[in-house]
Amino acid sequence: MKKTSTRLADGRELVYYDLRDDTVRDAVDRRPLERTVTTSEVRRDPLLGDSVAVASHRQGRTYHPPADQCPLCPSDGERLSEIPDSSYDVVVFENRFPSLAGDSGRCEVVCFTSDHDASFADLAEDQARLVLDAWTDRTSELSHLASVEQVFCFENRGAEIGVTLGHPHGQIYAYPFTTPRTALMLRSLAAHKDATGGENLFDAVLEEELAGERVVLEGEHWAAFVPYSAHWPYEVHLYPKRRVPDLLGLDEAARTEFPKVYLELLRRFDRIFGEGEPPTPYIAAWHQAPFGQLEEFDGVTRDDFALHLELFTIRRTSGKLKFLAGSESGMGVFINDVPPERAAERLREVASS
């Protein structure tokens, strides 16, 4: 992998990640852009104890442009985009309309390929590995920012999810706090460790799932399963078999196997509802240990946390979505229409030949 860092016309950082070491990236952003002004503010809820990012400037962000005006495609002649060069493998840049900025963290966009009509599942294995390397590098770089406590790499896919740009891409949020879901995991981790005299909860869950009926696919270094208490109609958790706290902890063997396993998982997701159905909308979310102090979680260290990816869709059946209505949105209690055992069975049925 070759990494080349540059600046866009308004001062935002852009980083090219290339498969070839001899690739030269010297294109200049020719757009007459003014410096980006953001109004991002993080407010803490005193009753729930969580945080809300208030970012009113995002109301003006780009919304479903036609394909020939996509800001994530390479620049072409006088059609100038967020990527100055005429081609790229993988590119990461600071979001022009960030939810988090300055002392409130940072938001980046990750373009998986220059092919506007592709999806992550269409990538070759070496390209998917390059994305993994980019996620890892960004996690490392962002972890050193004073305002950052946790790094979250994710992909929203599909208009049903709320995606406003059709080009295959993901995002990275660098939060100035430990996110609520991670805090819940850390509390459960601490309680289990105390109750069992030191057993790791992530290890116990993985061992139990691998011995059960909800395994979707398994490699030498990775395992994917539908969790016992899945929140979403089709939800898969992907774990490295050797527990590591973040993407930086993966060894070469796990990195090498990841593209094959993950691409197969994504391709199965697109076959859940049968031939002729539109692409399955999904969210793919990496869970990594926070880089901040963990004193509030008694006896837990970063090394106790287990890196894993959660992949899920809001489509519950053909043509129907799972809406977060009263119980889910009002009380945080999910009601799942698809038994996890049936979801796992379906994901095994659609395995590629």
Side-chain angles (χ1 to χ4, degrees):
M1 178 188 78
K2 181 180 181 182
K3 174 183 175 182
T4 306
S5 180
T6 185
R7 292 282 171 179
L8 296 174
D10 56 7
R12 289 176 293 134
E13 184 180 19
L14 179 144
V15 184
Y16 294 98
Y17 294 91
D18 287 294
L19 291 167
R20 292 175 55 98
D21 290 336
D22 59 353
T23 303
V24 176
R25 299 294 184 188
D26 55 7
V28 176
D29 185 3
R30 295 181 284 127
R31 296 172 298 170
L33 297 180
E34 297 182 356
R35 294 291 256 188
T36 301
V37 178
T38 63
T39 57
S40 179
E41 175 189 1
V42 174
R43 298 184 181 182
R44 188 161 182 81
D45 187 318
L47 295 179
L48 297 179
D50 60 8
S51 298
V52 176
V54 180
S56 60
H57 63 276
R58 284 175 54 78
Q59 288 280 35
R61 66 186 183 275
T62 307
Y63 186 81
H64 293 299
D68 61 357
Q69 296 178 32
C70 174
L72 306 185
C73 287
S75 292
D76 181 13
E78 294 307 309
R79 190 187 69 76
L80 306 177
S81 73
E82 289 280 64
I83 296 90
D85 216 324
S86 59
S87 67
Y88 65 85
D89 290 338
V90 173
V91 70
V92 178
F93 60 88
E94 288 184 75
N95 198 323
R96 191 177 178 187
F97 304 97
S99 301
L100 307 165
D103 293 338
S104 297
R106 176 158 155 155
C107 293
E108 298 183 339
V109 176
V110 184
C111 297
F112 303 140
T113 171
S114 60
D115 184 351
H116 180 85
D117 297 317
S119 69
F120 201 116
D122 296 324
L123 300 183
E125 289 187 14
D126 61 347
Q127 185 78 7
R129 166 62 190 265
L130 185 60
V131 175
L132 175 65
D133 290 342
W135 281 331
T136 304
D137 181 71
R138 297 318 301 161
T139 296
S140 176
E141 292 290 329
L142 294 170
S143 72
H144 291 98
L145 298 181
S147 62
V148 172
E149 189 166 312
Q150 186 173 0
V151 178
F152 175 46
C153 306
F154 65 101
E155 180 191 1
N156 296 328
R157 195 267 196 119
E160 300 94 328
I161 298 295
V163 174
T164 58
L165 296 175
H167 195 104
H169 73 288
Q171 299 181 65
I172 302 175
Y173 278 19
Y175 297 102
F177 50 78
T178 297
T179 59
R181 288 202 69 205
T182 302
L184 286 173
M185 292 183 202
L186 290 169
R187 292 189 187 101
S188 296
L189 190 61
H192 185 84
K193 188 174 185 179
D194 180 64
T196 60
E199 182 182 67
N200 184 279
L201 180 57
F202 286 112
D203 292 350
V205 167
L206 181 59
E207 181 180 358
E208 182 175 347
E209 291 289 1
L210 288 178
E213 60 181 314
R214 290 178 298 275
V215 175
V216 174
L217 60 88
E218 184 178 356
E220 183 179 354
H221 303 285
W222 294 87
F225 58 87
V226 177
Y228 171 75
S229 54
H231 289 57
W232 299 95
Y234 292 90
E235 174 182 339
V236 176
H237 293 190
L238 177 63
Y239 277 71
K241 290 185 175 179
R242 182 180 69 86
R243 173 166 44 91
V244 295
D246 51 40
L247 290 164
L248 284 75
L250 293 174
D251 60 21
E252 183 57 31
R255 292 181 183 280
T256 299
E257 186 181 77
F258 172 79
K260 181 178 181 180
V261 173
Y262 188 50
L263 290 171
E264 171 62 18
L265 199 55
L266 292 179
R267 290 162 187 165
R268 292 191 193 190
F269 253 62
D270 272 345
R271 294 194 290 268
I272 291 173
F273 304 105
E275 295 295 329
E277 287 290 323
T280 302
Y282 65 74
I283 293 174
W286 281 108
H287 290 266
Q288 305 192 80
F291 287 95
Q293 300 299 314
L294 302 180
E295 284 91 349
E296 63 180 293
F297 308 104
D298 294 340
V300 171
T301 69
R302 290 193 78 250
D303 289 336
D304 291 320
F305 195 86
L307 167 76
H308 62 285
L309 181 140
E310 296 183 7
L311 173 68
F312 58 90
T313 179
I314 62 172
R315 186 178 292 165
R316 58 186 174 87
T317 190
S318 179
K320 297 179 181 178
L321 301 180
K322 165 64 179 176
F323 292 102
L324 300 190
S327 185
E328 293 88 355
S329 296
M331 287 288 110
V333 179
F334 276 68
I335 300 170
N336 193 348
D337 303 287
V338 181
E341 293 73 24
R342 174 53 191 150
E345 182 181 19
R346 177 58 181 160
L347 285 162
R348 290 193 297 270
E349 288 174 351
V350 296
S352 61
S353 57

